[in-house]
Amino acid sequence: HDGGTVVALEGKAPADVRAAGRIPATVPGTVHTDLLAAGLIEDPYLDDNERLLAWIGSTSWRYSMSVEWRSDGFDQTDLVFDGLDTFAVVRLNGREILSSSNQHRSFRVPVRELLVEGSNALVIDFEAPIPAADRASEQLGARPHANHHPFNAVRKMASSFGWDWGIDTSTSGIWRAVRL
């Protein structure tokens, strides 16, 4: 969990966020909490910040971290993700090992044959959730929903798209533990 970074990929990230490059990431966490901790955004719960930070949900993000490994004599080694939010492609040492579109489940991936002694590169690309939900809604056909985003077309926490009691954060990130 230590030493990870997050960087904006495609989308509407402002110039100062792009100029920041690799932003320290806390795992478990989200893009919003990482940007807030880095001083790159204001508190989304204050004033008109919900509207001003809407670009976050229309931006794709990359989390990167190093995973240290030494041979332990076991035949099987798995990489376990307790929670990825939501549309993620995971690569270990450059090889795709997982594609996820469901925030509500965990994943266990055998990786023994991909690990090298020492440092291993773990990269997780998160597709922007708002365009992904819009695309899924178009593919499924319009269904009634009570919000401005089609939360019911994807397997992501519905309230992250806003609710009568909560703001629209439409965030991404490694929201639960990752372990080898």
Side-chain angles (χ1 to χ4, degrees), residues 8-71:
L9 296 177
E10 301 171 1
K12 301 178 180 183
D16 61 331
V17 171
R18 292 203 180 276
R22 295 184 180 276
I23 301 159
T26 299
V27 176
T30 69
V31 170
H32 279 77
T33 54
D34 292 332
L35 293 171
L36 188 60
L40 293 168
I41 63 171
E42 297 296 322
D43 188 332
Y45 289 91
L46 297 179
D47 305 320
D48 194 28
N49 292 342
E50 174 185 10
R51 182 185 61 79
L52 296 173
L53 299 177
W55 59 268
I56 296 171
S58 295
T59 301
S60 296
W61 300 91
R62 172 172 288 161
Y63 278 81
S64 302
M65 60 195 68
S66 178
V67 177
E68 293 298 317
W69 180 80
R70 299 273 180 255
S71 181

